[in-house]
């Protein structure tokens, strides 16, 4: 929360000095074979391990969020209405 808020500190004219974007929402941790992997993640692990840091970042009001290249439980992250609409948008300030 503090990092996103601090990055978007306003200048004397009220404009943000930097536009913060959160990247790779959510469960993304690979540098090879991007776009061809999916991770089977339990609901417990998703909500306990992967999502809390994104929730804090989103509540700070970043300029945007980029979905991850991978899939979660067989569904591409960028095509998951559940992740993008039900989870992510529920956190928006």
């Amino acid at each position: 929360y503090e990092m996103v808020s601090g990055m978007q500190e306003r200048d004397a004219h009220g404009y943000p000095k930097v536009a913060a974007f959160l990247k790779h929402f959510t469960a993304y941790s690979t540098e090879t074979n991007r776009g061809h992997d999916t991770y089977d993640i339990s609901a417990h692990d998703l909500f306990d391990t992967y999502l809390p840091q994104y929730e804090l970042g989103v509540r700070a009001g970043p300029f945007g969020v980029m979905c991850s290249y991978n899939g979660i439980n067989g569904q591409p992250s960028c095509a998951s209405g559940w992740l993008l609409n039900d989870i992510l948008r529920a956190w928006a300030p």
Side-chain angles (χ1 to χ4, degrees):
Y1 185 92
E2 276 75 12
M3 183 165 196
V4 172
S5 299
M7 288 175 67
Q8 297 187 150
E9 180 182 51
R10 305 288 173 158
D11 67 12
H13 302 287
Y15 298 107
K17 294 178 180 179
V18 174
F21 283 78
L22 305 179
K23 292 181 66 180
H24 306 286
F25 176 76
T26 182
Y28 179 79
S29 61
T30 187
E31 293 300 323
T32 60
N33 201 27
R34 289 182 176 175
H36 304 284
D37 51 339
T38 183
Y39 304 118
D40 294 323
I41 302 171
S42 71
H44 173 80
D45 282 340
L46 192 61
F47 284 94
D48 190 61
T49 305
Y50 293 99
L51 294 177
Q53 63 270 19
Y54 286 103
E55 181 178 4
L56 289 172
V58 169
R59 291 192 186 279
F63 273 69
V65 178
M66 179 183 128
C67 57
S68 61
Y69 298 105
N70 62 289
I72 305 282
N73 299 329
Q75 184 174 30
S77 295
C78 292
S80 174
W82 178 73
L83 271 176
L84 301 176
N85 296 316
D86 300 340
I87 302 295
L88 185 63
R89 289 187 181 191
W91 299 330

Coordinates of all heavy atoms in Angstrom, one line a residue:
Y1 N 0.8 -1.2 0.0 CA 0.0 0.0 0.0 C 0.9 1.2 0.0 O 0.7 2.1 -0.8 CB -0.9 0.0 1.2 CG -1.9 1.1 1.2 CD1 -3.2 0.9 0.6 CD2 -1.6 2.3 1.8 CE1 -4.1 1.9 0.6 CE2 -2.5 3.3 1.8 CZ -3.8 3.2 1.2 OH -4.7 4.2 1.2
E2 N 1.8 1.3 0.9 CA 2.7 2.5 1.0 C 3.5 2.7 -0.2 O 3.8 3.8 -0.6 CB 3.6 2.4 2.3 CG 2.9 2.9 3.6 CD 1.9 1.9 4.1 OE1 1.9 0.7 3.7 OE2 1.2 2.3 5.0
M3 N 4.0 1.6 -0.8 CA 4.8 1.8 -2.0 C 4.0 2.4 -3.2 O 4.5 3.3 -3.8 CB 5.4 0.5 -2.4 CG 6.4 0.6 -3.6 SD 7.3 -0.9 -3.8 CE 8.6 -0.3 -4.8
V4 N 2.9 1.9 -3.4 CA 2.0 2.4 -4.5 C 1.7 3.9 -4.2 O 1.8 4.8 -5.0 CB 0.8 1.6 -4.7 CG1 -0.2 2.3 -5.7 CG2 1.1 0.2 -5.2
S5 N 1.2 4.1 -3.0 CA 0.9 5.5 -2.6 C 2.1 6.5 -2.7 O 2.0 7.6 -3.2 CB 0.3 5.5 -1.1 OG -0.8 4.7 -1.0
G6 N 3.2 6.0 -2.2 CA 4.4 6.8 -2.3 C 4.9 7.1 -3.7 O 5.3 8.2 -4.0
M7 N 4.8 6.1 -4.6 CA 5.2 6.3 -6.0 C 4.3 7.4 -6.6 O 4.7 8.1 -7.5 CB 5.1 5.0 -6.7 CG 6.2 4.0 -6.4 SD 5.9 2.4 -7.2 CE 6.2 2.9 -8.9
Q8 N 3.1 7.4 -6.3 CA 2.1 8.3 -6.9 C 1.9 9.6 -6.1 O 0.9 10.3 -6.3 CB 0.8 7.6 -7.1 CG 0.9 6.4 -8.0 CD -0.4 5.8 -8.4 OE1 -0.5 5.2 -9.4 NE2 -1.4 5.8 -7.5
E9 N 3.0 10.0 -5.4 CA 2.9 11.3 -4.7 C 2.7 12.4 -5.7 O 3.2 12.4 -6.8 CB 4.3 11.5 -4.0 CG 4.4 12.8 -3.2 CD 5.7 12.9 -2.6 OE1 6.8 12.8 -3.3 OE2 5.8 13.2 -1.4
R10 N 1.9 13.4 -5.3 CA 1.6 14.5 -6.2 C 2.6 15.6 -6.2 O 3.2 15.9 -5.1 CB 0.2 15.1 -5.8 CG -0.9 14.0 -5.8 CD -1.3 13.6 -7.2 NE -2.3 12.5 -7.1 CZ -3.1 12.2 -8.1 NH1 -3.0 12.9 -9.2 NH2 -3.9 11.2 -8.0
D11 N 2.8 16.2 -7.3 CA 3.7 17.4 -7.4 C 3.0 18.7 -6.9 O 1.8 18.6 -6.5 CB 4.4 17.5 -8.7 CG 3.4 17.9 -9.8 OD1 2.2 18.3 -9.5 OD2 3.8 17.8 -11.0
A12 N 3.6 19.8 -7.1 CA 3.0 21.1 -6.6 C 1.8 21.4 -7.4 O 0.9 22.2 -6.9 CB 4.1 22.2 -6.8
H13 N 1.6 20.8 -8.6 CA 0.4 21.1 -9.4 C -0.7 20.1 -9.3 O -1.7 20.1 -9.9 CB 0.8 21.3 -10.9 CG 1.9 22.3 -11.1 ND1 1.6 23.7 -11.1 CD2 3.2 22.2 -11.4 CE1 2.6 24.4 -11.3 NE2 3.7 23.5 -11.5
G14 N -0.4 19.1 -8.4 CA -1.4 18.0 -8.2 C -1.3 16.8 -9.1 O -2.1 15.9 -9.1
Y15 N -0.3 16.8 -10.0 CA -0.1 15.6 -10.8 C 0.8 14.6 -10.2 O 1.8 14.9 -9.5 CB 0.6 16.1 -12.2 CG -0.3 17.1 -12.9 CD1 0.1 18.4 -13.0 CD2 -1.4 16.7 -13.6 CE1 -0.7 19.3 -13.7 CE2 -2.2 17.6 -14.3 CZ -1.8 18.9 -14.4 OH -2.5 19.8 -15.0
P16 N 0.5 13.3 -10.4 CA 1.4 12.3 -9.8 C 2.7 12.3 -10.5 O 2.9 12.5 -11.7 CB 0.6 11.0 -10.2 CG -0.3 11.3 -11.3 CD -0.6 12.7 -11.2
K17 N 3.8 12.1 -9.7 CA 5.1 12.1 -10.2 C 5.4 10.8 -11.0 O 6.2 10.8 -11.9 CB 6.1 12.2 -9.0 CG 6.0 13.5 -8.3 CD 7.0 13.6 -7.1 CE 6.9 14.9 -6.4 NZ 7.8 15.0 -5.3
V18 N 4.8 9.7 -10.6 CA 4.9 8.4 -11.3 C 3.6 7.7 -11.3 O 2.8 7.8 -10.4 CB 5.9 7.5 -10.5 CG1 6.0 6.1 -11.1 CG2 7.3 8.2 -10.5
A19 N 3.3 7.0 -12.4 CA 2.1 6.2 -12.5 C 2.4 4.8 -12.1 O 3.2 4.2 -12.8 CB 1.5 6.3 -13.9
A20 N 1.9 4.3 -11.0 CA 2.2 2.9 -10.6 C 1.2 2.0 -11.2 O 0.0 2.2 -11.3 CB 2.1 2.9 -9.1
F21 N 1.8 0.8 -11.7 CA 1.0 -0.2 -12.3 C 1.4 -1.5 -11.6 O 2.6 -1.8 -11.4 CB 1.2 -0.4 -13.8 CG 0.5 0.6 -14.6 CD1 1.0 1.9 -14.7 CD2 -0.6 0.3 -15.3 CE1 0.4 2.8 -15.5 CE2 -1.3 1.2 -16.1 CZ -0.8 2.5 -16.2
L22 N 0.4 -2.3 -11.2 CA 0.7 -3.6 -10.6 C 0.8 -4.7 -11.7 O -0.1 -4.7 -12.5 CB -0.4 -4.0 -9.6 CG -0.7 -3.0 -8.5 CD1 -1.8 -3.6 -7.6 CD2 0.6 -2.8 -7.7
K23 N 1.8 -5.4 -11.7 CA 2.0 -6.4 -12.8 C 1.9 -7.8 -12.4 O 2.1 -8.2 -11.3 CB 3.4 -6.2 -13.5 CG 3.5 -4.8 -14.2 CD 4.9 -4.7 -14.8 CE 5.1 -5.7 -15.9 NZ 6.4 -5.5 -16.6
H24 N 1.5 -8.6 -13.3 CA 1.4 -10.1 -13.2 C 0.4 -10.5 -12.2 O 0.7 -11.4 -11.4 CB 2.8 -10.6 -13.0 CG 3.8 -10.2 -14.0 ND1 3.8 -10.7 -15.3 CD2 4.8 -9.3 -14.0 CE1 4.8 -10.1 -16.0 NE2 5.4 -9.2 -15.2
F25 N -0.8 -10.0 -12.2 CA -1.9 -10.4 -11.4 C -2.4 -11.8 -11.9 O -2.9 -11.8 -13.0 CB -3.0 -9.4 -11.4 CG -4.2 -9.7 -10.6 CD1 -4.2 -9.7 -9.2 CD2 -5.4 -10.1 -11.2 CE1 -5.3 -10.0 -8.5 CE2 -6.5 -10.4 -10.5 CZ -6.5 -10.4 -9.1
T26 N -2.3 -12.8 -11.2 CA -1.8 -13.1 -9.9 C -0.8 -14.3 -9.9 O -0.2 -14.4 -10.8 CB -3.0 -13.4 -9.0 OG1 -2.7 -13.6 -7.7 CG2 -3.9 -14.5 -9.5
A27 N -0.6 -15.1 -9.2 CA 0.3 -16.4 -9.3 C 1.2 -16.5 -10.5 O 1.1 -17.5 -11.2 CB -0.7 -17.5 -9.2
Y28 N 2.1 -15.6 -10.7 CA 3.0 -15.6 -11.8 C 4.4 -15.6 -11.3 O 4.8 -14.7 -10.5 CB 2.8 -14.4 -12.7 CG 3.8 -14.3 -13.9 CD1 3.5 -15.1 -15.0 CD2 4.9 -13.5 -13.8 CE1 4.4 -15.1 -16.1 CE2 5.8 -13.5 -14.9 CZ 5.5 -14.3 -16.0 OH 6.4 -14.2 -17.1
S29 N 5.2 -16.6 -11.7 CA 6.5 -16.7 -11.2 C 7.4 -17.5 -12.1 O 8.2 -18.4 -11.6 CB 6.6 -17.3 -9.7 OG 6.1 -18.6 -9.8
T30 N 7.4 -17.2 -13.4 CA 8.2 -18.0 -14.3 C 8.9 -17.0 -15.3 O 8.3 -16.0 -15.6 CB 7.5 -19.1 -15.0 OG1 8.4 -19.8 -15.8 CG2 6.4 -18.5 -15.9
E31 N 10.0 -17.3 -15.8 CA 10.7 -16.5 -16.7 C 10.8 -17.1 -18.1 O 11.3 -16.5 -19.1 CB 12.1 -16.1 -16.2 CG 12.1 -15.1 -15.0 CD 11.4 -13.8 -15.3 OE1 11.5 -13.3 -16.4 OE2 10.7 -13.3 -14.4
T32 N 10.4 -18.4 -18.2 CA 10.5 -19.1 -19.5 C 9.1 -19.7 -19.8 O 8.3 -19.9 -18.9 CB 11.5 -20.3 -19.4 OG1 11.1 -21.2 -18.4 CG2 12.9 -19.8 -19.1
N33 N 8.9 -20.0 -21.1 CA 7.7 -20.6 -21.6 C 6.5 -19.8 -21.2 O 5.4 -20.3 -20.9 CB 7.6 -22.0 -21.0 CG 6.6 -22.9 -21.9 OD1 6.4 -22.6 -23.1 ND2 6.0 -23.9 -21.3
R34 N 6.6 -18.5 -21.2 CA 5.5 -17.6 -20.9 C 4.3 -17.8 -21.8 O 4.4 -18.0 -23.0 CB 5.9 -16.1 -21.0 CG 6.9 -15.7 -19.9 CD 7.2 -14.3 -20.1 NE 8.1 -13.9 -18.9 CZ 8.6 -12.7 -18.9 NH1 8.4 -11.8 -19.8 NH2 9.4 -12.4 -17.8
G35 N 3.1 -17.8 -21.2 CA 1.9 -17.9 -21.9 C 1.5 -19.3 -22.2 O 0.5 -19.6 -22.9
H36 N 2.3 -20.3 -21.8 CA 2.0 -21.7 -22.1 C 1.9 -22.5 -20.8 O 2.0 -23.7 -20.8 CB 3.0 -22.3 -23.0 CG 3.2 -21.6 -24.2 ND1 2.3 -21.6 -25.3 CD2 4.2 -20.7 -24.6 CE1 2.8 -20.9 -26.3 NE2 3.9 -20.3 -25.9
D37 N 1.7 -21.9 -19.7 CA 1.6 -22.6 -18.4 C 0.4 -22.3 -17.6 O -0.2 -21.3 -17.8 CB 2.9 -22.4 -17.6 CG 3.1 -20.9 -17.4 OD1 2.6 -20.1 -18.2 OD2 3.8 -20.5 -16.4
T38 N 0.0 -23.2 -16.8 CA -1.2 -23.0 -15.9 C -0.8 -23.7 -14.6 O -0.1 -24.7 -14.6 CB -2.5 -23.6 -16.5 OG1 -3.5 -23.3 -15.6 CG2 -2.4 -25.1 -16.7
Y39 N -1.3 -23.1 -13.5 CA -1.0 -23.6 -12.2 C -2.3 -24.0 -11.5 O -3.3 -23.3 -11.6 CB -0.3 -22.5 -11.4 CG 1.0 -21.9 -12.0 CD1 1.1 -20.6 -12.4 CD2 2.1 -22.8 -12.2 CE1 2.2 -20.1 -12.9 CE2 3.2 -22.3 -12.8 CZ 3.3 -20.9 -13.2 OH 4.4 -20.5 -13.8
D40 N -2.2 -25.2 -10.9 CA -3.4 -25.6 -10.2 C -3.2 -25.2 -8.7 O -2.3 -25.6 -8.0 CB -3.4 -27.2 -10.2 CG -3.8 -27.7 -11.6 OD1 -4.6 -27.0 -12.3 OD2 -3.2 -28.7 -12.0
I41 N -4.0 -24.2 -8.3 CA -3.9 -23.6 -7.0 C -5.2 -23.7 -6.3 O -6.2 -23.4 -6.8 CB -3.5 -22.1 -7.2 CG1 -2.2 -21.9 -8.0 CG2 -3.4 -21.4 -5.9 CD1 -1.9 -20.5 -8.4
S42 N -5.1 -24.2 -5.0 CA -6.3 -24.3 -4.2 C -6.8 -23.0 -3.8 O -6.1 -22.0 -3.8 CB -6.0 -25.1 -3.0 OG -5.2 -24.4 -2.1
A43 N -8.1 -22.9 -3.5 CA -8.7 -21.6 -3.1 C -8.0 -21.1 -1.9 O -7.7 -19.9 -1.7 CB -10.2 -21.8 -2.8
H44 N -7.6 -22.0 -1.0 CA -6.9 -21.6 0.2 C -5.6 -20.9 -0.1 O -5.3 -19.8 0.4 CB -6.6 -22.7 1.2 CG -5.8 -22.4 2.4 ND1 -6.3 -21.7 3.5 CD2 -4.4 -22.5 2.6 CE1 -5.3 -21.5 4.3 NE2 -4.1 -22.0 3.8
D45 N -4.7 -21.5 -1.0 CA -3.5 -21.0 -1.3 C -3.6 -19.7 -2.1 O -2.9 -18.7 -1.9 CB -2.6 -21.9 -2.2 CG -2.0 -23.0 -1.3 OD1 -1.8 -22.8 -0.1 OD2 -1.6 -24.0 -1.9
L46 N -4.6 -19.6 -3.0 CA -4.9 -18.4 -3.7 C -5.2 -17.2 -2.8 O -4.6 -16.1 -2.9 CB -6.0 -18.6 -4.7 CG -6.2 -17.6 -5.8 CD1 -5.0 -17.4 -6.7 CD2 -7.4 -17.9 -6.6
F47 N -6.1 -17.4 -1.9 CA -6.5 -16.3 -1.0 C -5.5 -16.1 0.1 O -5.5 -15.0 0.7 CB -7.9 -16.5 -0.5 CG -9.0 -16.3 -1.5 CD1 -9.5 -17.3 -2.3 CD2 -9.4 -15.0 -1.7 CE1 -10.4 -17.0 -3.2 CE2 -10.4 -14.7 -2.6 CZ -10.9 -15.8 -3.4
D48 N -4.8 -17.1 0.5 CA -3.8 -16.9 1.6 C -2.4 -16.5 1.2 O -1.8 -15.7 1.9 CB -3.7 -18.2 2.4 CG -3.0 -18.1 3.7 OD1 -3.4 -17.3 4.6 OD2 -1.9 -18.8 3.9
T49 N -2.0 -16.9 0.0 CA -0.6 -16.7 -0.4 C -0.5 -15.7 -1.5 O 0.4 -14.8 -1.5 CB 0.0 -18.0 -0.9 OG1 -0.1 -19.0 0.2 CG2 1.5 -17.8 -1.3
Y50 N -1.3 -15.8 -2.6 CA -1.1 -15.0 -3.8 C -1.9 -13.7 -3.8 O -1.4 -12.7 -4.3 CB -1.5 -15.8 -5.0 CG -0.6 -17.0 -5.3 CD1 -1.0 -18.3 -4.9 CD2 0.6 -16.8 -5.9 CE1 -0.2 -19.4 -5.1 CE2 1.4 -17.9 -6.1 CZ 1.0 -19.2 -5.7 OH 1.9 -20.2 -5.9
L51 N -3.1 -13.6 -3.3 CA -3.9 -12.4 -3.5 C -3.7 -11.3 -2.5 O -4.0 -10.1 -2.8 CB -5.4 -12.8 -3.5 CG -5.8 -13.7 -4.7 CD1 -7.3 -14.0 -4.6 CD2 -5.5 -12.9 -6.0
P52 N -3.3 -11.6 -1.2 CA -3.3 -10.5 -0.2 C -2.4 -9.3 -0.7 O -2.8 -8.1 -0.5 CB -2.7 -11.1 1.0 CG -3.1 -12.6 0.9 CD -3.0 -12.9 -0.6
Q53 N -1.3 -9.5 -1.3 CA -0.4 -8.4 -1.6 C -1.0 -7.6 -2.8 O -0.9 -6.3 -2.8 CB 1.0 -8.8 -2.0 CG 1.1 -9.7 -3.2 CD 1.0 -11.2 -2.9 OE1 0.5 -11.6 -1.8 NE2 1.5 -12.0 -3.7
Y54 N -1.8 -8.2 -3.7 CA -2.5 -7.5 -4.7 C -3.6 -6.7 -4.2 O -3.9 -5.6 -4.6 CB -2.9 -8.4 -5.8 CG -1.8 -8.9 -6.7 CD1 -1.3 -10.2 -6.5 CD2 -1.3 -8.1 -7.7 CE1 -0.3 -10.7 -7.3 CE2 -0.2 -8.6 -8.5 CZ 0.3 -9.9 -8.3 OH 1.3 -10.3 -9.0
E55 N -4.3 -7.2 -3.2 CA -5.4 -6.5 -2.6 C -4.9 -5.2 -2.0 O -5.5 -4.1 -2.2 CB -6.1 -7.3 -1.5 CG -7.3 -6.6 -0.9 CD -8.0 -7.4 0.1 OE1 -7.7 -8.5 0.4 OE2 -9.1 -6.9 0.6
L56 N -3.8 -5.3 -1.2 CA -3.2 -4.0 -0.7 C -2.8 -3.0 -1.7 O -3.1 -1.8 -1.6 CB -2.0 -4.4 0.2 CG -2.3 -5.1 1.5 CD1 -1.0 -5.5 2.2 CD2 -3.1 -4.2 2.4
G57 N -2.2 -3.5 -2.8 CA -1.8 -2.6 -3.9 C -2.9 -2.0 -4.6 O -2.9 -0.8 -4.9
V58 N -4.0 -2.8 -4.9 CA -5.2 -2.2 -5.6 C -5.9 -1.2 -4.7 O -6.3 -0.2 -5.2 CB -6.1 -3.4 -6.0 CG1 -7.4 -2.8 -6.5 CG2 -5.5 -4.2 -7.1
R59 N -6.0 -1.4 -3.4 CA -6.7 -0.5 -2.5 C -5.9 0.8 -2.4 O -6.5 1.9 -2.1 CB -6.8 -1.1 -1.1 CG -7.9 -2.3 -1.2 CD -8.3 -2.7 0.2 NE -9.1 -3.8 0.2 CZ -10.5 -3.8 -0.1 NH1 -11.1 -2.7 -0.4 NH2 -11.1 -5.0 0.0
A60 N -4.6 0.9 -2.8 CA -3.9 2.1 -2.8 C -4.2 2.9 -4.0 O -3.7 4.1 -4.1 CB -2.4 1.8 -2.7
G61 N -4.9 2.4 -5.0 CA -5.3 3.1 -6.2 C -4.2 3.3 -7.3 O -4.0 4.4 -7.7
P62 N -3.6 2.2 -7.8 CA -2.7 2.3 -8.9 C -3.4 2.8 -10.1 O -4.6 2.7 -10.2 CB -2.2 0.9 -9.0 CG -3.3 0.0 -8.6 CD -4.0 0.8 -7.5
F63 N -2.6 3.2 -11.1 CA -3.2 3.6 -12.4 C -3.7 2.4 -13.2 O -4.5 2.6 -14.0 CB -2.1 4.4 -13.2 CG -2.1 5.8 -12.9 CD1 -1.6 6.3 -11.7 CD2 -2.5 6.8 -13.8 CE1 -1.6 7.6 -11.3 CE2 -2.5 8.1 -13.5 CZ -2.0 8.5 -12.3
G64 N -3.2 1.2 -12.9 CA -3.6 0.0 -13.6 C -3.1 -1.2 -13.0 O -2.2 -1.2 -12.2
V65 N -3.6 -2.3 -13.5 CA -3.1 -3.7 -13.1 C -3.0 -4.5 -14.4 O -3.9 -4.5 -15.3 CB -4.2 -4.4 -12.2 CG1 -3.7 -5.8 -11.8 CG2 -4.4 -3.5 -10.9
M66 N -1.9 -5.2 -14.6 CA -1.7 -6.1 -15.7 C -1.9 -7.5 -15.3 O -1.3 -8.0 -14.3 CB -0.3 -5.9 -16.3 CG 0.1 -6.8 -17.4 SD 1.8 -6.5 -17.9 CE 2.3 -8.2 -18.0
C67 N -2.7 -8.3 -16.0 CA -2.8 -9.7 -15.7 C -1.6 -10.5 -16.0 O -0.8 -10.0 -16.8 CB -4.1 -10.3 -16.4 SG -4.0 -10.1 -18.1
S68 N -1.5 -11.7 -15.4 CA -0.3 -12.5 -15.7 C -0.5 -13.3 -17.0 O -1.6 -13.5 -17.5 CB 0.0 -13.4 -14.5 OG -1.1 -14.3 -14.3
Y69 N 0.7 -13.8 -17.5 CA 0.6 -14.6 -18.7 C 0.1 -16.0 -18.5 O -0.4 -16.6 -19.5 CB 2.1 -14.7 -19.3 CG 2.8 -13.5 -19.6 CD1 3.7 -12.9 -18.8 CD2 2.4 -12.8 -20.8 CE1 4.4 -11.7 -19.2 CE2 3.1 -11.6 -21.1 CZ 4.1 -11.1 -20.3 OH 4.7 -10.0 -20.7
N70 N 0.2 -16.5 -17.4 CA -0.2 -17.9 -17.1 C -1.7 -18.0 -16.9 O -2.5 -17.1 -16.8 CB 0.5 -18.4 -15.9 CG 0.2 -17.6 -14.6 OD1 0.6 -16.5 -14.5 ND2 -0.6 -18.2 -13.7
G71 N -2.1 -19.3 -16.7 CA -3.5 -19.6 -16.4 C -3.5 -20.1 -14.9 O -2.6 -20.5 -14.3
I72 N -4.7 -19.9 -14.4 CA -5.0 -20.4 -13.0 C -6.0 -21.5 -13.1 O -7.1 -21.3 -13.6 CB -5.5 -19.3 -12.1 CG1 -4.6 -18.1 -12.1 CG2 -5.8 -19.8 -10.7 CD1 -3.4 -18.2 -11.2
N73 N -5.7 -22.7 -12.7 CA -6.6 -23.9 -12.7 C -7.2 -24.0 -14.1 O -8.4 -24.3 -14.3 CB -7.7 -23.7 -11.7 CG -7.1 -23.7 -10.3 OD1 -6.0 -24.3 -10.0 ND2 -7.7 -22.9 -9.4
G74 N -6.3 -23.9 -15.2 CA -6.7 -24.2 -16.5 C -7.4 -23.0 -17.3 O -7.6 -23.1 -18.5
Q75 N -7.6 -21.9 -16.6 CA -8.2 -20.7 -17.3 C -7.1 -19.6 -17.4 O -6.6 -19.2 -16.4 CB -9.4 -20.2 -16.6 CG -10.1 -19.1 -17.3 CD -11.4 -18.7 -16.6 OE1 -11.6 -18.8 -15.4 NE2 -12.4 -18.2 -17.4
P76 N -6.9 -19.0 -18.6 CA -6.0 -17.9 -18.7 C -6.3 -16.7 -17.7 O -7.5 -16.3 -17.6 CB -6.1 -17.5 -20.1 CG -6.6 -18.6 -20.8 CD -7.5 -19.3 -19.9
S77 N -5.4 -16.2 -17.1 CA -5.6 -15.1 -16.1 C -6.3 -13.9 -16.8 O -7.1 -13.3 -16.2 CB -4.3 -14.7 -15.4 OG -3.8 -15.7 -14.7
C78 N -5.8 -13.6 -18.0 CA -6.4 -12.4 -18.7 C -7.8 -12.6 -19.2 O -8.4 -11.7 -19.7 CB -5.5 -12.0 -19.8 SG -3.9 -11.4 -19.3
A79 N -8.3 -13.9 -19.1 CA -9.7 -14.2 -19.6 C -10.6 -14.6 -18.5 O -11.7 -15.1 -18.7 CB -9.6 -15.2 -20.7
S80 N -10.1 -14.5 -17.2 CA -10.9 -14.9 -16.1 C -11.8 -13.8 -15.6 O -11.3 -12.9 -14.9 CB -9.9 -15.4 -15.0 OG -10.6 -15.8 -13.8
G81 N -13.0 -13.9 -15.9 CA -14.0 -13.0 -15.3 C -14.1 -13.0 -13.8 O -14.2 -12.0 -13.2
W82 N -13.9 -14.2 -13.3 CA -13.9 -14.3 -11.8 C -12.7 -13.5 -11.2 O -12.9 -12.8 -10.3 CB -13.8 -15.8 -11.4 CG -13.7 -16.0 -9.9 CD1 -14.8 -15.9 -9.1 CD2 -12.6 -16.4 -9.2 NE1 -14.3 -16.1 -7.8 CE2 -13.0 -16.5 -7.8 CE3 -11.3 -16.7 -9.5 CZ2 -12.1 -16.8 -6.8 CZ3 -10.4 -17.0 -8.5 CH2 -10.8 -17.1 -7.2
L83 N -11.5 -13.7 -11.7 CA -10.4 -13.0 -11.2 C -10.4 -11.5 -11.4 O -10.2 -10.7 -10.5 CB -9.1 -13.5 -11.8 CG -8.3 -14.6 -11.1 CD1 -7.1 -15.1 -11.9 CD2 -8.0 -14.3 -9.7
L84 N -10.8 -11.1 -12.7 CA -10.7 -9.7 -13.1 C -11.9 -8.9 -12.6 O -11.8 -7.7 -12.2 CB -10.6 -9.6 -14.6 CG -9.3 -10.2 -15.2 CD1 -9.3 -10.1 -16.7 CD2 -8.0 -9.6 -14.6
N85 N -13.1 -9.5 -12.6 CA -14.3 -8.7 -12.3 C -14.7 -9.0 -10.8 O -15.0 -8.0 -10.1 CB -15.5 -9.1 -13.2 CG -15.2 -8.7 -14.6 OD1 -14.7 -7.6 -14.9 ND2 -15.5 -9.6 -15.6
D86 N -14.8 -10.2 -10.4 CA -15.3 -10.5 -9.1 C -14.3 -10.2 -8.0 O -14.7 -9.7 -6.9 CB -15.8 -12.0 -9.0 CG -16.9 -12.3 -10.0 OD1 -17.6 -11.4 -10.4 OD2 -17.1 -13.5 -10.3
I87 N -13.1 -10.5 -8.2 CA -12.0 -10.3 -7.2 C -11.4 -8.9 -7.3 O -11.5 -8.1 -6.4 CB -10.9 -11.4 -7.3 CG1 -11.5 -12.8 -7.2 CG2 -9.8 -11.1 -6.3 CD1 -12.1 -13.1 -5.8
L88 N -10.7 -8.6 -8.5 CA -10.0 -7.4 -8.6 C -10.8 -6.2 -8.5 O -10.5 -5.2 -7.8 CB -9.3 -7.4 -10.0 CG -8.3 -6.3 -10.3 CD1 -7.2 -6.3 -9.3 CD2 -7.8 -6.4 -11.7
R89 N -11.9 -6.1 -9.2 CA -12.8 -4.9 -9.1 C -13.4 -4.7 -7.8 O -13.8 -3.5 -7.5 CB -13.8 -4.9 -10.2 CG -13.2 -4.7 -11.6 CD -14.2 -4.6 -12.7 NE -13.5 -4.4 -14.0 CZ -14.0 -4.1 -15.1 NH1 -15.3 -3.9 -15.1 NH2 -13.3 -4.0 -16.2
A90 N -13.6 -5.7 -7.0 CA -14.2 -5.6 -5.7 C -13.3 -4.8 -4.8 O -13.7 -4.2 -3.8 CB -14.5 -6.9 -5.1
W91 N -12.0 -4.8 -5.1 CA -11.0 -4.1 -4.2 C -10.8 -2.6 -4.6 O -10.2 -1.9 -3.9 CB -9.6 -4.8 -4.3 CG -9.5 -6.2 -3.9 CD1 -10.3 -6.8 -2.9 CD2 -8.6 -7.2 -4.3 NE1 -9.9 -8.1 -2.8 CE2 -8.9 -8.3 -3.6 CE3 -7.6 -7.2 -5.3 CZ2 -8.2 -9.5 -3.8 CZ3 -6.9 -8.3 -5.5 CH2 -7.2 -9.5 -4.7
A92 N -11.2 -2.3 -5.8 CA -11.0 -0.9 -6.3 C -11.5 0.2 -5.4 O -12.7 0.0 -4.9 CB -11.5 -0.8 -7.7
P93 N -10.8 1.2 -5.2 CA -11.2 2.3 -4.3 C -12.4 3.1 -4.9 O -12.6 3.1 -6.1 CB -10.0 3.2 -4.1 CG -9.0 2.8 -5.1 CD -9.4 1.4 -5.7

